[in-house]
Amino acid sequence: GAVVSQHPSRVICKSGTSVKIECRSLDFQATTMFWYRQFPKQSLMLMATSNEGSKATYEQGVEKDKFLINHASLTLSTLTVTSAHPEDSSFYICSATKGQGANTGELFFGEGSRLTVL
Amino acid sequence: GENVEQHPSTLSVQEGDSAVIKCTYSDSASNYFPWYKQELGKRPQLIIDIRSNVGEKKDQRIAVTLNKTAKHFSLHITETQPEDSAVYFCAASFSGGYNKLIFGAGTRLAVHP
């Protein structure tokens, strides 16, 4: 199997603070991980592609200084929401793939993290 | 641009009927098309996928068809059951180094007993 674990599942923070979300591939190495954001009853919007050992690739309109991504190892990627504001409240979900390059394969999703900024 | 359109947004069927969800994509170079099912509060789960070198794939009650010329692919669920009720997302791969997946807007399927 392929298991992706995400932590924390829920976090409530005050406006202006930073929040870190971890995404781990438990039984496989993931060169590439993807971070998505999902608003209630809406689709999964790709925020950025996290690449082990290099800088993340951000989608248009996503502030890289706001959403810091670090892919420090082949099994761990982190998303830090800096200086969070109420509009950052959302469901953040990571995913990882066993495939590389042209061999895009199934995405395995983490459990998601529900961020509420007060 | 990179775009995946999905419709309908909601679909209501009676148990035992068939359900069809359709998606179109913008990049002719896309080569991987998965379908995910997401139940309320849970992570998306892959239910079936298809690559650009085949036109159709079937797995029990679920099938996917791909028309590369039209850049169109569809999910077919036969003999629907109440447990099929969920949100279904189509996705397409887009090139640019890491073959990211872009998702459609989702279809909320309700199967009534």
Side-chain angles (χ1 to χ4, degrees), chain A residues 15-33:
Chain A
S15 185
T17 60
S18 294
V19 174
K20 179 185 284 189
I21 301 170
E22 292 186 348
C23 180
R24 295 180 184 274
S25 56
L26 299 185
D27 53 358
F28 67 101
Q29 294 183 332
T31 306
T32 304
M33 292 185 176

Side-chain angles (χ1 to χ4, degrees), chain B residues 19-82:
Chain B
V20 180
I21 303 171
K22 299 180 179 181
C23 288
T24 59
Y25 58 98
S26 58
D27 187 357
S28 57
S30 295
N31 58 14
Y32 177 63
F33 308 92
W35 286 88
Y36 283 82
K37 176 183 179 181
Q38 186 178 31
E39 298 178 354
L40 188 63
K42 296 187 177 180
R43 73 186 86 187
Q45 298 277 8
L46 179 74
I47 57 171
I48 196 167
D49 57 10
I50 192 169
R51 295 195 179 271
S52 58
N53 57 346
V54 298
E56 185 174 358
K57 184 177 179 180
K58 188 174 182 180
D59 183 5
Q60 299 183 336
R61 297 187 296 110
I62 296 173
V64 56
T65 59
L66 171 65
N67 183 329
K68 285 188 63 180
T69 303
K71 290 187 286 187
H72 170 277
F73 58 113
S74 300
L75 176 71
H76 304 253
I77 305 174
T78 58
E79 301 173 28
T80 55
Q81 301 168 1

Side-chain angles (χ1 to χ4, degrees), chain A residues 36 43 101 104 107 109 111, chain B residues 36 43 51 99-101 104:
Chain A
Y36 289 85
S43 186
T104 299
L107 283 187
F109 285 90
E111 304 94 326
Chain B
Y36 283 82
R43 73 186 86 187
R51 295 195 179 271
N99 280 298
K100 57 191 178 184
L101 286 182

